[in-house]
Amino acid sequence: MKNQIILSLSILASTFVFAQAKKTKEYHGVSFYTETTINEVNVVINGAGVREKYFMDMYVAALYLKKKSTDASKIISADEEMGIHIKLISSMVTREKFKTSVTEGFKNASSGTATQEEQKKFMSFLSEEFKDGDKIYLDYVPSKGVKVYKNGELKGTIPGLEFKKALFAIWLGTVPAQESLKNEMLGKE
């Protein structure tokens, strides 16, 4: 009887540990969770792609949604939990280069509005130097806004759906940072 109890507890414990282990998938050499939570809501990876510049891989970005979609305009406009998770894979990505790229992205944004004040506040959340391996998470939470994390630390939140639309349009809009990255994030490649 004692052995049965020990065996049952061992099976239960291993089942619990297995259930807690998150599955990952590799994109361009970077592992991302296949599902995670944003604001305690389950989201799944929609796709992930690499940002290249001057023939160099700079970062890999993953798009997380409540339900997979290939419709960029619906994703941009949706007022529901979602996120863009970025992992830097090059020491060539500096804070200044990222800032320049994001500023250009906001100018090209086909949706939403990001005021100069919001853009400045957003970049202030990323004021520390960047290094290879850094993780930047841009998680949207309805009625709260875009929560900006760097290496697991919440740096701040920018409220408003309009800002989220403009920010997500940098990668998913009609003039994206990179067309192939957009297609990979949408799960099309």
Side-chain angles (χ1 to χ4, degrees):
M1 180 71 169
K2 185 177 177 181
N3 288 341
Q4 273 186 324
I5 292 172
I6 291 172
L7 179 62
S8 294
L9 288 174
S10 295
I11 291 170
L12 183 61
S14 63
T15 302
F16 180 74
V17 169
F18 180 74
Q20 295 298 313
K22 290 186 176 183
K23 292 182 183 176
T24 60
K25 185 173 179 182
E26 194 169 294
Y27 297 86
H28 301 280
V30 176
S31 291
F32 288 96
Y33 292 123
T34 55
E35 56 185 70
T36 190
T37 58
I38 294 174
N39 193 38
E40 299 181 16
V41 172
N42 289 333
V43 291
V44 296
I45 195 163
N46 195 69
V50 66
R51 171 70 163 115
E52 299 170 331
K53 198 162 187 173
Y54 309 119
F55 305 103
M56 296 179 63
D57 294 347
M58 307 306 275
Y59 61 79
V60 179
L63 175 63
Y64 286 89
L65 305 171
K66 287 173 68 174
K67 182 179 165 189
K68 289 189 175 202
S69 174
T70 58
D71 190 329
S73 61
K74 283 185 181 177
I75 294 167
I76 290 169
S77 297
D79 189 15
E80 63 186 33
E81 285 80 3
M82 64 180 64
I84 294 176
H85 294 182
I86 299 168
K87 181 167 183 192
L88 305 183
I89 57 173
S90 171
S91 59
M92 298 298 290
V93 180
T94 64
R95 180 197 168 317
E96 284 307 310
K97 287 179 182 174
F98 189 80
K99 179 181 177 182
T100 300
S101 182
V102 168
T103 301
E104 181 181 312
F106 279 127
K107 286 179 187 170
N108 294 331
S110 54
S111 301
T113 306
T115 66
Q116 290 295 327
E117 183 179 304
E118 289 170 330
Q119 291 178 46
K120 187 176 180 180
K121 185 176 181 182
F122 175 75
M123 289 313 302
S124 75
F125 297 154
L126 301 171
S127 61
E128 300 159 1
E129 284 303 312
F130 285 16
K131 61 185 181 310
D132 187 358
D134 279 350
K135 294 177 184 177
I136 300 166
Y137 289 3
L138 310 170
D139 290 346
Y140 177 70
V141 177
S143 77
K144 292 190 178 154
V146 176
K147 293 179 173 276
V148 180
Y149 296 86
K150 185 173 179 201
N151 298 325
E153 180 185 342
L154 178 62
K155 297 297 186 176
T157 304
I158 304 206
L161 178 59
E162 288 303 306
F163 177 80
K164 175 261 184 182
K165 288 178 182 179
L167 182 65
F168 277 56
I170 291 173
W171 291 274
L172 303 173
T174 55
V175 184
Q178 184 175 317
E179 192 70 36
S180 61
L181 171 59
K182 172 184 173 178
N183 288 334
E184 287 183 289
M185 292 173 74
L186 292 174
K188 293 182 177 181
E189 289 185 13

